[in-house]
Amino acid sequence: MKLAKRIERVEASKTLQVKEKALQLQAQGIAVIDLTAGEPDFRTPANIARAGIRAIEEGFTHYTANTGIPELRRSIAEKLKKDNGLNYTPEQIVVSNGAKQSVLNALFAVVGAGDEVIIPAPYWVSYPEQVKIAEASPVIVDTSAAGFKLTPELLEAHLTERTRAIILNTPCNPTGVVYSPGELSELAAILAKRDIWIISDEIYEKIIFDGLSHRSIASLQNLSEKSIVINGFSKSYAMTGWRVGYAAAPLPVAKAMAKIQSHYTSNASSISQKAALEALNGPQEEVEFMRREFEKRRDYIREKLSDQPFLSFVNPQGAFYFFIKVSRVYGCRCESGLIQNSIDFATYLAEKYHLVTVPGAAFGADAYIRLSFANSLEQIQLGIERLLEGMRAMLRQKQES
Ligand SMILES: Cc1ncc(COP(=O)(O)O)c(C=O)c1O
């Protein structure tokens, strides 16, 4: 019996091999330094957790409106106005089970077979696969020579008659780059002239450093007419397990997304929606506390990694990842064979140094590995030492051979 064609196009996770290695080591009782986390290492703030508990105790445990409870959609519209200068009515907001679902809802709503979707690389792992699930074709644009940012030239060079959408992500996972308002304006000027949907993933909005503030491309040049703004609670409020995200879009798109969602998951958890409401309307001090902690860790790692001649990186100004170029060690030999790519290198680090990272191949950039700093400073410290030790050992071997 055959599986659907759609499934043949979707790739399994490229991180599996390294993860399996880490699990094997852990099963042997070996302490592994895991710098793969895609989620804050902080607990959900207590006031938010209590709002969830209260929802259960009060019996708020049934279906809600498919697109979310009215007070949450209203609060999200107010947030978008206050933080991002965007004008949406609550009817234009669709609350879903995480931003991941919101991106897929958006793709289902605006692209299909024969359409192309531009994705700057390095990209978040799910974008290309979600585009394929929506039966469209990802057009991957390598930005590694441009400081990991899509430039107007790169964008122009990849537009075709079939381009139907673009996915932008700032602050970016995995590189941590943040587009400046000027850079966004240049892209906006090109996009404003075309019939292209902009899916703007802003989930790391609040995790931003160096005194920068996040800007939504939808707030530029009337682009909200063409934009689907994606955001959520996972990263800013350390709420990954609660599964609440949202999209804000022109009304026909919001209605289309709602229609799709109504037939596959319906509403986000009623309990989580109450918690999300508290996240938006309650005190925000913990958001700032977590941001500051991430910035301190960023500073620490940056200092340790700078002036190391065998690796390079772009200073992350947001999110909680370092994307490190490690291809200098490719071509080296280790006990288990030749290191030829990021998967080999990450596997070597896991096996020999018990340090787990994510190979860049997962993000469409094989010269790199991603190191998350959503972990304690002690673990980060150990992890960096092991990374540097591992790279030095490989290069020594290369010189000797
Ligand atoms: C860029 C980006 N977008 C979306 C998501 C999904 O977030 P959520 O937990 O809200 O589904 C992630 C999670 O890692 C992410 O890194």
Side-chain angles (χ1 to χ4, degrees):
M1 291 281 279
K2 275 190 177 168
L3 297 178
K5 276 229 161 356
R6 182 184 314 111
I7 285 305
E8 286 170 16
R9 297 180 68 208
V10 178
E11 279 181 43
S13 168
K14 292 200 176 70
T15 61
L16 237 51
Q17 183 180 327
V18 185
K19 276 250 154 84
E20 270 168 21
K21 180 56 59 193
L23 287 174
Q24 275 170 17
L25 292 167
Q26 274 165 334
Q28 292 164 27
I30 294 170
V32 163
I33 308 283
D34 186 349
L35 299 184
T36 63
E39 57 180 335
D41 53 314
F42 300 101
R43 291 184 72 141
T44 303
N47 62 309
I48 299 175
R50 272 198 304 273
I53 293 166
R54 212 162 39 242
I56 298 173
E57 284 173 350
E58 289 172 2
F60 193 74
T61 52
H62 299 276
Y63 291 134
T64 71
N66 168 49
T67 48
I69 53 177
E71 58 272 41
L72 179 57
R73 293 169 84 197
R74 223 173 16 249
S75 292
I76 291 169
E78 284 162 12
K79 178 256 173 246
L80 290 166
K81 175 80 193 148
K82 180 165 65 78
D83 290 354
N84 311 108
L86 295 168
N87 291 309
Y88 290 105
T89 62
E91 292 67 41
Q92 293 176 273
I93 313 292
V94 180
V95 177
S96 57
N97 296 268
K100 186 179 268 187
Q101 185 181 15
S102 297
V103 178
L104 190 58
N105 281 345
L107 288 165
F108 275 148
V110 299
V111 301
D115 294 335
E116 290 178 351
V117 179
I118 292 184
I119 303 174
Y123 46 70
W124 179 47
V125 278
S126 290
Y127 297 145
E129 307 316 311
Q130 289 196 336
V131 166
K132 290 186 228 164
I133 292 169
E135 315 216 312
S137 302
V139 174
I140 307 298
V141 182
D142 180 9
T143 65
S144 52
F148 294 141
K149 287 181 186 171
L150 184 68
T151 60
E153 295 73 29
L154 282 170
L155 172 58
E156 297 262 28
H158 289 84
L159 292 171
T160 74
E161 290 280 284
R162 292 165 60 197
T163 310
R164 191 61 46 235
I166 177 170
I167 306 181
L168 287 175
N169 174 217
T170 179
C172 174
N173 174 9
T175 63
V177 298
V178 174
Y179 285 71
S180 71
E183 288 161 344
L184 288 175
S185 287
E186 286 182 344
L187 299 177
I190 298 168
L191 295 167
K193 290 188 231 134
R194 306 263 185 159
D195 282 338
I196 297 173
W197 292 105
I198 304 161
I199 299 175
S200 178
D201 182 344
E202 305 179 15
I203 187 117
Y204 290 96
E205 165 186 31
K206 303 274 182 199
I207 304 172
I208 194 162
F209 316 130
D210 303 326
L212 298 180
S213 52
H214 168 76
R215 187 69 183 259
S216 173
I217 192 166
S219 66
L220 300 166
Q221 307 191 26
N222 289 326
L223 279 188
S224 62
E225 303 281 306
K226 296 181 171 185
S227 301
I228 304 166
V229 174
I230 310 283
N231 210 325
F233 297 84
S234 286
K235 317 288 176 177
S236 317
Y237 296 98
M239 287 177 69
T240 46
W242 297 79
R243 310 306 304 128
V244 204
Y246 57 88
L251 196 55
V253 179
K255 283 188 171 161
M257 289 192 289
K259 187 154 73 176
I260 291 155
Q261 179 164 302
S262 75
H263 292 298
Y264 77 116
T265 59
S266 300
N267 59 275
S269 147
S270 57
I271 301 150
S272 301
Q273 289 188 63
K274 284 286 189 183
L277 187 63
E278 172 63 20
L280 284 182
N281 296 329
Q284 302 295 306
E285 282 79 9
E286 288 203 51
V287 176
E288 174 55 15
F289 168 79
M290 293 189 272
R291 192 203 66 72
R292 271 204 311 273
E293 287 300 306
F294 285 130
E295 185 160 8
K296 276 188 224 160
R297 297 171 189 176
R298 190 281 313 257
D299 291 348
Y300 172 83
I301 300 172
R302 190 177 52 186
E303 200 200 306
K304 291 283 165 196
L305 294 187
S306 51
D307 305 328
Q308 302 291 351
F310 45 84
L311 54 78
S312 61
F313 60 90
V314 170
N315 178 36
Q317 294 198 291
F320 36 71
Y321 311 103
F322 268 80
F323 205 56
I324 305 170
K325 190 166 188 181
V326 291
S327 50
R328 279 280 300 277
V329 299
Y330 297 179
C332 294
R333 210 160 259 292
C334 69
E335 291 81 352
S336 52
L338 195 62
I339 303 287
Q340 289 178 298
N341 52 46
S342 61
I343 297 180
D344 291 347
F345 181 59
T347 308
Y348 159 79
L349 284 179
E351 256 170 12
K352 181 96 199 276
Y353 292 90
H354 306 154
L355 166 64
V356 197
T357 57
V358 185
F363 312 100
D366 198 34
Y368 301 80
I369 56 167
R370 190 190 76 175
L371 192 146
S372 162
F373 48 97
N375 207 330
S376 70
L377 209 48
E378 297 84 67
Q379 292 286 295
I380 290 170
Q381 230 160 348
L382 280 172
I384 297 291
E385 276 167 21
R386 291 181 188 191
L387 168 69
L388 296 178
E389 204 182 312
M391 292 192 79
R392 284 196 197 104
M394 299 223 76
L395 291 166
R396 256 196 320 272
Q397 263 177 2
K398 197 177 184 179
Q399 272 171 359
E400 283 163 11
S401 63

